[in-house]
Amino acid sequence: MQEALATGLEVLQALGIHFPSTLSQLELSKVLQQTAVHLAGREVEDLINLPEMQSVQQLAAMQIISSIMSPAFRVGHKILPFLILEMVNLSLKHGNTALSTLGYVMYGLILCGTSEEIPLGYQFGQLALSLLELYDAQYIECHINFVFNVSIYHWQQPVQKTIKPLKEAYQIAISSKRKKCLHWATWLQPLPTR
């Protein structure tokens, strides 16, 4: 995992994407502030109308970031929120792609869980779901639904309302037979029957 993360970070650096040398709370606060500046004057629901990302370099960066998020999470690396914010900022600057859904839903998780900006985090979760429909990105659908329903939805809606969409995400995961989806399915399998 560490090796995959290190390789991904090297590739990102070659693409011109750099992260702070010290991954402190102060540095994270700075990047959160930069993201807020990029969002200034924009409504979250309008972000679905951003143009489609065209730059091959930016698309590659989004792909690399998405592929190293899981290793970063698994090893508990402090870089994970920086990766999430980079995805959001790339989308805000260069347009949306199917992988923007991952950045937006994870940013929603940060806003709800860490920054305590629950309404804004919920809006980003909703944006991710809407964008998912627009791009018909089935390869990432179970992941986005899982993060939204487990980490965001319950902040604004009764937790009981998460059961049906989580069961649907489970069915998507089982039917897709993709490794990443099956990973999410193992989390979803013991859902109650009601």
Side-chain angles (χ1 to χ4, degrees), residues 75-98:
V75 300
H77 202 288
K78 292 180 180 180
I79 195 131
L80 183 59
F82 293 91
L83 295 171
I84 294 164
L85 293 168
E86 186 64 31
M87 286 188 95
V88 172
N89 288 323
L90 284 171
S91 298
L92 294 173
K93 288 186 219 171
H94 302 285
N96 286 326
T97 175

mmCIF file of all heavy atoms in Angstrom, residues 75-98:
data_model
loop_
_atom_site.group_PDB
_atom_site.id
_atom_site.type_symbol
_atom_site.label_atom_id
_atom_site.label_comp_id
_atom_site.label_asym_id
_atom_site.label_seq_id
_atom_site.Cartn_x
_atom_site.Cartn_y
_atom_site.Cartn_z
ATOM 1 N N VAL A 75 -3.717 2.894 4.852
ATOM 2 C CA VAL A 75 -2.524 3.042 5.690
ATOM 3 C C VAL A 75 -2.652 4.218 6.658
ATOM 4 O O VAL A 75 -1.734 4.496 7.415
ATOM 5 C CB VAL A 75 -1.223 3.158 4.858
ATOM 6 C CG1 VAL A 75 -1.015 1.925 4.004
ATOM 7 C CG2 VAL A 75 -1.195 4.413 4.016
ATOM 8 N N GLY A 76 -3.794 4.882 6.631
ATOM 9 C CA GLY A 76 -4.018 5.992 7.563
ATOM 10 C C GLY A 76 -3.135 7.189 7.289
ATOM 11 O O GLY A 76 -2.738 7.903 8.208
ATOM 12 N N HIS A 77 -2.806 7.396 6.024
ATOM 13 C CA HIS A 77 -1.900 8.484 5.656
ATOM 14 C C HIS A 77 -2.604 9.830 5.747
ATOM 15 O O HIS A 77 -3.762 9.975 5.354
ATOM 16 C CB HIS A 77 -1.366 8.258 4.248
ATOM 17 C CG HIS A 77 -0.085 8.972 3.980
ATOM 18 N ND1 HIS A 77 -0.011 10.327 3.826
ATOM 19 C CD2 HIS A 77 1.174 8.510 3.850
ATOM 20 C CE1 HIS A 77 1.234 10.683 3.594
ATOM 21 N NE2 HIS A 77 1.982 9.578 3.613
ATOM 22 N N LYS A 78 -1.900 10.824 6.248
ATOM 23 C CA LYS A 78 -2.451 12.172 6.409
ATOM 24 C C LYS A 78 -2.719 12.874 5.081
ATOM 25 O O LYS A 78 -3.337 13.923 5.050
ATOM 26 C CB LYS A 78 -1.499 13.027 7.238
ATOM 27 C CG LYS A 78 -1.399 12.601 8.676
ATOM 28 C CD LYS A 78 -0.435 13.506 9.425
ATOM 29 C CE LYS A 78 -0.310 13.093 10.868
ATOM 30 N NZ LYS A 78 0.622 13.961 11.594
ATOM 31 N N ILE A 79 -2.275 12.291 3.989
ATOM 32 C CA ILE A 79 -2.442 12.953 2.689
ATOM 33 C C ILE A 79 -3.869 12.837 2.153
ATOM 34 O O ILE A 79 -4.258 13.591 1.271
ATOM 35 C CB ILE A 79 -1.432 12.416 1.650
ATOM 36 C CG1 ILE A 79 -1.374 13.353 0.452
ATOM 37 C CG2 ILE A 79 -1.807 11.036 1.161
ATOM 38 C CD1 ILE A 79 -0.048 13.755 0.012
ATOM 39 N N LEU A 80 -4.678 11.919 2.676
ATOM 40 C CA LEU A 80 -6.006 11.677 2.117
ATOM 41 C C LEU A 80 -6.843 12.947 1.952
ATOM 42 O O LEU A 80 -7.358 13.193 0.864
ATOM 43 C CB LEU A 80 -6.756 10.620 2.928
ATOM 44 C CG LEU A 80 -8.129 10.237 2.375
ATOM 45 C CD1 LEU A 80 -8.025 9.691 0.953
ATOM 46 C CD2 LEU A 80 -8.789 9.220 3.287
ATOM 47 N N PRO A 81 -7.012 13.797 2.960
ATOM 48 C CA PRO A 81 -7.825 14.997 2.729
ATOM 49 C C PRO A 81 -7.220 15.937 1.688
ATOM 50 O O PRO A 81 -7.948 16.615 0.961
ATOM 51 C CB PRO A 81 -7.915 15.664 4.108
ATOM 52 C CG PRO A 81 -6.838 15.063 4.922
ATOM 53 C CD PRO A 81 -6.562 13.705 4.345
ATOM 54 N N PHE A 82 -5.906 15.950 1.568
ATOM 55 C CA PHE A 82 -5.254 16.776 0.547
ATOM 56 C C PHE A 82 -5.573 16.240 -0.856
ATOM 57 O O PHE A 82 -5.779 17.018 -1.789
ATOM 58 C CB PHE A 82 -3.738 16.818 0.773
ATOM 59 C CG PHE A 82 -3.340 17.551 2.032
ATOM 60 C CD1 PHE A 82 -3.187 16.870 3.231
ATOM 61 C CD2 PHE A 82 -3.119 18.923 2.017
ATOM 62 C CE1 PHE A 82 -2.824 17.542 4.390
ATOM 63 C CE2 PHE A 82 -2.754 19.600 3.170
ATOM 64 C CZ PHE A 82 -2.609 18.914 4.356
ATOM 65 N N LEU A 83 -5.630 14.915 -0.989
ATOM 66 C CA LEU A 83 -5.993 14.305 -2.267
ATOM 67 C C LEU A 83 -7.426 14.675 -2.645
ATOM 68 O O LEU A 83 -7.714 15.034 -3.792
ATOM 69 C CB LEU A 83 -5.844 12.779 -2.200
ATOM 70 C CG LEU A 83 -4.439 12.224 -2.011
ATOM 71 C CD1 LEU A 83 -4.491 10.722 -1.736
ATOM 72 C CD2 LEU A 83 -3.561 12.518 -3.218
ATOM 73 N N ILE A 84 -8.314 14.583 -1.674
ATOM 74 C CA ILE A 84 -9.728 14.913 -1.897
ATOM 75 C C ILE A 84 -9.866 16.359 -2.353
ATOM 76 O O ILE A 84 -10.551 16.656 -3.344
ATOM 77 C CB ILE A 84 -10.541 14.665 -0.608
ATOM 78 C CG1 ILE A 84 -10.574 13.167 -0.274
ATOM 79 C CG2 ILE A 84 -11.952 15.248 -0.727
ATOM 80 C CD1 ILE A 84 -11.011 12.844 1.133
ATOM 81 N N LEU A 85 -9.217 17.256 -1.652
ATOM 82 C CA LEU A 85 -9.314 18.678 -1.987
ATOM 83 C C LEU A 85 -8.686 18.976 -3.345
ATOM 84 O O LEU A 85 -9.178 19.837 -4.085
ATOM 85 C CB LEU A 85 -8.683 19.524 -0.885
ATOM 86 C CG LEU A 85 -9.446 19.470 0.440
ATOM 87 C CD1 LEU A 85 -8.630 20.076 1.557
ATOM 88 C CD2 LEU A 85 -10.799 20.143 0.325
ATOM 89 N N GLU A 86 -7.642 18.248 -3.706
ATOM 90 C CA GLU A 86 -7.036 18.431 -5.029
ATOM 91 C C GLU A 86 -8.025 18.032 -6.118
ATOM 92 O O GLU A 86 -8.137 18.708 -7.143
ATOM 93 C CB GLU A 86 -5.733 17.639 -5.155
ATOM 94 C CG GLU A 86 -4.986 17.882 -6.439
ATOM 95 C CD GLU A 86 -4.489 19.321 -6.613
ATOM 96 O OE1 GLU A 86 -4.185 19.997 -5.612
ATOM 97 O OE2 GLU A 86 -4.412 19.766 -7.779
ATOM 98 N N MET A 87 -8.753 16.940 -5.909
ATOM 99 C CA MET A 87 -9.758 16.527 -6.895
ATOM 100 C C MET A 87 -10.828 17.606 -7.064
ATOM 101 O O MET A 87 -11.233 17.922 -8.186
ATOM 102 C CB MET A 87 -10.427 15.216 -6.477
ATOM 103 C CG MET A 87 -9.578 13.994 -6.644
ATOM 104 S SD MET A 87 -10.517 12.487 -6.349
ATOM 105 C CE MET A 87 -10.977 12.089 -8.031
ATOM 106 N N VAL A 88 -11.286 18.143 -5.947
ATOM 107 C CA VAL A 88 -12.314 19.188 -5.999
ATOM 108 C C VAL A 88 -11.770 20.416 -6.717
ATOM 109 O O VAL A 88 -12.424 20.962 -7.620
ATOM 110 C CB VAL A 88 -12.819 19.545 -4.577
ATOM 111 C CG1 VAL A 88 -13.733 20.765 -4.610
ATOM 112 C CG2 VAL A 88 -13.529 18.358 -3.948
ATOM 113 N N ASN A 89 -10.573 20.837 -6.362
ATOM 114 C CA ASN A 89 -9.996 22.033 -6.986
ATOM 115 C C ASN A 89 -9.723 21.830 -8.475
ATOM 116 O O ASN A 89 -9.932 22.754 -9.265
ATOM 117 C CB ASN A 89 -8.738 22.473 -6.232
ATOM 118 C CG ASN A 89 -9.082 23.070 -4.887
ATOM 119 O OD1 ASN A 89 -10.084 23.768 -4.745
ATOM 120 N ND2 ASN A 89 -8.274 22.795 -3.882
ATOM 121 N N LEU A 90 -9.271 20.650 -8.863
ATOM 122 C CA LEU A 90 -9.080 20.361 -10.288
ATOM 123 C C LEU A 90 -10.413 20.461 -11.035
ATOM 124 O O LEU A 90 -10.479 21.019 -12.134
ATOM 125 C CB LEU A 90 -8.468 18.977 -10.495
ATOM 126 C CG LEU A 90 -6.979 18.833 -10.196
ATOM 127 C CD1 LEU A 90 -6.571 17.357 -10.223
ATOM 128 C CD2 LEU A 90 -6.145 19.628 -11.192
ATOM 129 N N SER A 91 -11.461 19.950 -10.429
ATOM 130 C CA SER A 91 -12.788 20.018 -11.053
ATOM 131 C C SER A 91 -13.270 21.461 -11.159
ATOM 132 O O SER A 91 -13.805 21.869 -12.196
ATOM 133 C CB SER A 91 -13.795 19.182 -10.264
ATOM 134 O OG SER A 91 -13.421 17.824 -10.256
ATOM 135 N N LEU A 92 -13.075 22.228 -10.100
ATOM 136 C CA LEU A 92 -13.515 23.618 -10.119
ATOM 137 C C LEU A 92 -12.755 24.449 -11.152
ATOM 138 O O LEU A 92 -13.320 25.335 -11.788
ATOM 139 C CB LEU A 92 -13.356 24.246 -8.726
ATOM 140 C CG LEU A 92 -14.250 23.666 -7.630
ATOM 141 C CD1 LEU A 92 -13.879 24.245 -6.275
ATOM 142 C CD2 LEU A 92 -15.719 23.890 -7.939
ATOM 143 N N LYS A 93 -11.488 24.137 -11.340
ATOM 144 C CA LYS A 93 -10.655 24.901 -12.281
ATOM 145 C C LYS A 93 -10.778 24.420 -13.723
ATOM 146 O O LYS A 93 -10.712 25.222 -14.647
ATOM 147 C CB LYS A 93 -9.175 24.803 -11.880
ATOM 148 C CG LYS A 93 -8.802 25.568 -10.641
ATOM 149 C CD LYS A 93 -7.283 25.485 -10.458
ATOM 150 C CE LYS A 93 -6.913 25.338 -9.013
ATOM 151 N NZ LYS A 93 -5.496 25.055 -8.802
ATOM 152 N N HIS A 94 -10.915 23.108 -13.913
ATOM 153 C CA HIS A 94 -10.807 22.537 -15.258
ATOM 154 C C HIS A 94 -12.063 21.835 -15.749
ATOM 155 O O HIS A 94 -12.081 21.335 -16.876
ATOM 156 C CB HIS A 94 -9.627 21.562 -15.319
ATOM 157 C CG HIS A 94 -8.328 22.186 -14.947
ATOM 158 N ND1 HIS A 94 -7.636 23.038 -15.786
ATOM 159 C CD2 HIS A 94 -7.599 22.119 -13.798
ATOM 160 C CE1 HIS A 94 -6.531 23.457 -15.186
ATOM 161 N NE2 HIS A 94 -6.490 22.908 -13.976
ATOM 162 N N GLY A 95 -13.094 21.755 -14.923
ATOM 163 C CA GLY A 95 -14.333 21.119 -15.348
ATOM 164 C C GLY A 95 -14.536 19.754 -14.718
ATOM 165 O O GLY A 95 -13.649 19.203 -14.068
ATOM 166 N N ASN A 96 -15.727 19.223 -14.923
ATOM 167 C CA ASN A 96 -16.123 17.951 -14.322
ATOM 168 C C ASN A 96 -15.738 16.759 -15.180
ATOM 169 O O ASN A 96 -15.605 16.864 -16.402
ATOM 170 C CB ASN A 96 -17.638 17.920 -14.098
ATOM 171 C CG ASN A 96 -18.076 18.777 -12.938
ATOM 172 O OD1 ASN A 96 -17.378 18.905 -11.948
ATOM 173 N ND2 ASN A 96 -19.250 19.373 -13.060
ATOM 174 N N THR A 97 -15.592 15.652 -14.503
ATOM 175 C CA THR A 97 -15.405 14.346 -15.101
ATOM 176 C C THR A 97 -16.160 13.375 -14.197
ATOM 177 O O THR A 97 -16.588 13.748 -13.104
ATOM 178 C CB THR A 97 -13.903 13.992 -15.186
ATOM 179 O OG1 THR A 97 -13.766 12.664 -15.673
ATOM 180 C CG2 THR A 97 -13.213 14.095 -13.857
ATOM 181 N N ALA A 98 -16.339 12.156 -14.624
ATOM 182 C CA ALA A 98 -17.025 11.180 -13.776
ATOM 183 C C ALA A 98 -16.340 11.068 -12.415
ATOM 184 O O ALA A 98 -17.002 10.921 -11.381
ATOM 185 C CB ALA A 98 -17.077 9.823 -14.467
#
